[in-house]
Amino acid sequence: MKLVFLGPPGAGKGTQAKLLADAAKLAHISTGDMLREAVASGSSLGSKVKSIMDAGELVSDNLIVDLIKDRTSHADCAGGYILDGFPRTVAQAEALQQMLKQAGQELDKVVFFSVSEEALKARLENRRTVEGRSDDNVQTQLERLKVYSEKTAPLIDWYRSCGALVSLDATGSIEEVQQELRKIVDT
Ligand code: AMP
């Protein structure tokens, strides 16, 4: 099974992806985690993307698409995967579609995490104060929300028109949302 998790920063995609990936034996591919690891390890990729991530901007489509092409070719992806944080632009979605087509594959579902603005703000504040991620200061979070509306939100209609989009109400507790998610992937 191949899934894409789509939604604003703070919608809970990463938390839900981890739980579902463990339960359904899927690889969890988070481009944000991969890039943060590159920054932490001090690799050349890390030094290239650090300032972009700290500013809340998107790294280049080519770089991310190459990262995904490589990651999805690993053995742990043979049984399926969850893409969390990719694609984030129409160009990335087109590249993904092309990549899958060439391999004679397709996405099973694109799950859109729908969440109210108040819940989103509360979650982002919690993440800032409790988790302390380096790209989670107020300024960066606001920029990431803006970038999401401008560049990523158009993917909702893009995938809806492909018929692959399923909406998930992501406002409940972690357990409630996971339960709803399981229903979606089981049907
Ligand atoms: P995330 O943890 O998914 O919110 O990603 C953290 C940061 O990594 C983003 O703010 C971007 O700077 C970068 N990033 C992650 N995924 C992508 C992507 N698909 N395209 C471009 N930049 C990305």
Side-chain angles (χ1 to χ4, degrees):
M1 183 178 308
K2 294 178 186 61
L3 303 169
V4 164
F5 283 6
L6 185 63
K13 302 182 299 294
T15 305
Q16 297 298 333
K18 271 187 205 104
L19 291 170
L20 181 66
D22 281 349
K25 307 243 179 309
L26 299 169
H28 172 206
I29 304 180
S30 158
T31 41
D33 285 351
M34 289 165 77
L35 295 174
R36 274 185 292 279
E37 276 161 27
V39 171
S41 74
S43 68
S44 65
L45 169 66
S47 48
K48 215 188 278 179
V49 299
K50 185 176 185 318
S51 59
I52 301 172
M53 292 176 76
D54 284 346
E57 304 295 336
L58 295 184
V59 309
S60 84
D61 289 333
N62 286 345
L63 188 153
I64 283 287
V65 168
D66 284 348
L67 212 62
I68 285 289
K69 279 187 180 154
D70 176 67
R71 180 64 187 87
T72 52
S73 70
H74 292 192
D76 67 326
C77 291
Y81 50 76
I82 303 172
L83 295 174
D84 161 20
F86 174 91
R88 255 173 153 101
T89 63
V90 170
Q92 291 178 18
E94 284 170 347
L96 174 64
Q97 206 172 43
Q98 185 68 17
M99 182 187 104
L100 290 169
K101 198 173 159 196
Q102 273 168 5
Q105 301 171 340
E106 57 182 20
L107 289 174
D108 291 86
K109 283 185 177 104
V110 176
V111 183
F112 169 56
F113 282 60
S114 165
V115 67
S116 72
E117 207 166 307
E118 300 93 84
L120 204 61
K121 282 188 182 148
R123 284 185 194 174
L124 285 172
E125 186 177 343
N126 182 61
R127 213 162 75 173
R128 212 166 54 230
T129 49
V130 179
E131 292 180 27
R133 218 171 82 169
S134 74
D135 58 344
D136 260 351
N137 62 61
V138 181
Q139 199 51 44
T140 307
Q141 282 186 345
L142 288 175
E143 185 58 27
R144 291 167 81 230
L145 282 171
K146 191 169 146 242
V147 168
Y148 170 80
S149 318
E150 286 173 8
K151 304 205 168 140
T152 310
L155 286 178
I156 302 167
D157 280 342
W158 196 86
Y159 275 122
R160 190 176 280 127
S161 67
C162 303
L165 194 84
V166 188
S167 231
L168 169 72
D169 177 2
T171 3
S173 69
I174 291 177
E175 295 75 20
E176 284 164 347
V177 175
Q178 182 66 201
Q179 231 172 19
E180 281 310 302
L181 186 57
R182 301 255 176 116
K183 280 189 208 155
I184 287 175
V185 297
D186 286 345
T187 50

